[in-house]
Amino acid sequence: LGSKSLSSIGRLHLTGNGDLYFNNGADLYWFPEADSIELFLKAVNDTDTAGKADAHSIMSIWSDNKKNLYIATGSVIKKIEKSKFIITVYKSAGNWKPVSGLVAPNGDFWVMEYNDKNEVRVNKISAADRKEIVKKNAFQLYMIPLLLIVGILLMLYFIFRKKK
């Protein structure tokens, strides 16, 4: 199907529009309709699995109806937008690790996890809860860096302003 030499192919995901995504170790590849395998993202696995180049560094790949990809890796789930912007959207607590998930048509987020005892659980995060989490995290994601920049600019202003 392609001319790449890949040694550690892992999970496969076929999107609704026919694009095939798969991992080779920690790298995420894309097989669009053009019949050529392309590297989509390099080393996209979690820092917990950094240096791990086997097929299990990414446990699962899935997508939602907005064409975002999700990967379960290490102790987190990462959302990958078509623009290749990556954000961690879920972090497992304790010794739990995400193994798979899905986004329901109504926006509910389902995560399947396992732990060291080989127990399995499924968590549901409703669409309303997801919006509340995003709202709470928006301060950390946007406001804290903005406040730091404003603080640095004010400090530089007072240090370098000319006194009359």
Side-chain angles (χ1 to χ4, degrees), residues 8-35:
S8 190
I9 294 176
R11 308 305 183 251
L12 302 171
H13 174 65
L14 185 63
T15 65
N17 65 346
D19 292 339
L20 176 68
Y21 290 88
F22 65 93
N23 71 297
N24 183 56
D27 301 334
L28 190 62
Y29 283 85
W30 180 38
F31 193 74
E33 294 179 29
D35 292 324

Side-chain angles (χ1 to χ4, degrees), residues 149-164:
I149 291 170
V150 168
I152 291 169
L153 289 174
L154 284 171
M155 183 179 70
L156 291 173
Y157 170 77
F158 286 113
I159 291 173
F160 294 108
R161 74 179 175 160
K162 292 185 179 184
K163 296 181 182 179
K164 291 184 181 182

Side-chain angles (χ1 to χ4, degrees), residues 47-151:
T47 54
D48 289 352
T49 58
K52 187 176 180 183
D54 69 8
H56 301 295
S57 60
I58 296 175
M59 292 299 293
S60 186
I61 306 168
W62 67 95
S63 57
D64 62 17
N65 58 4
K66 295 180 181 173
K67 299 183 181 176
N68 297 308
L69 287 177
Y70 297 85
I71 61 165
T73 176
S75 63
V76 300
I77 293 176
K78 294 183 177 185
K79 175 182 170 184
I80 305 167
E81 296 177 356
K82 201 68 166 165
S83 65
K84 299 182 183 179
F85 178 74
I86 303 171
I87 186 167
T88 299
V89 294
Y90 184 85
K91 179 156 178 51
S92 293
N95 66 349
W96 291 93
K97 300 211 180 319
V99 69
S100 187
L102 64 85
V103 181
N106 68 352
D108 290 348
F109 195 75
W110 294 83
V111 178
M112 184 166 66
E113 301 172 294
Y114 72 98
N115 65 13
D116 297 340
K117 297 176 187 175
N118 211 21
E119 298 169 321
V120 177
R121 70 180 182 188
V122 175
N123 289 325
K124 174 188 172 191
I125 305 164
S126 71
D129 288 344
R130 285 180 70 197
K131 287 180 184 174
E132 190 62 32
I133 291 168
V134 168
K135 187 190 269 186
K136 287 179 183 176
N137 290 336
F139 182 78
Q140 289 179 326
L141 189 61
Y142 300 109
M143 293 305 291
I144 290 177
L146 181 63
L147 291 172
L148 284 172
I149 291 170
V150 168

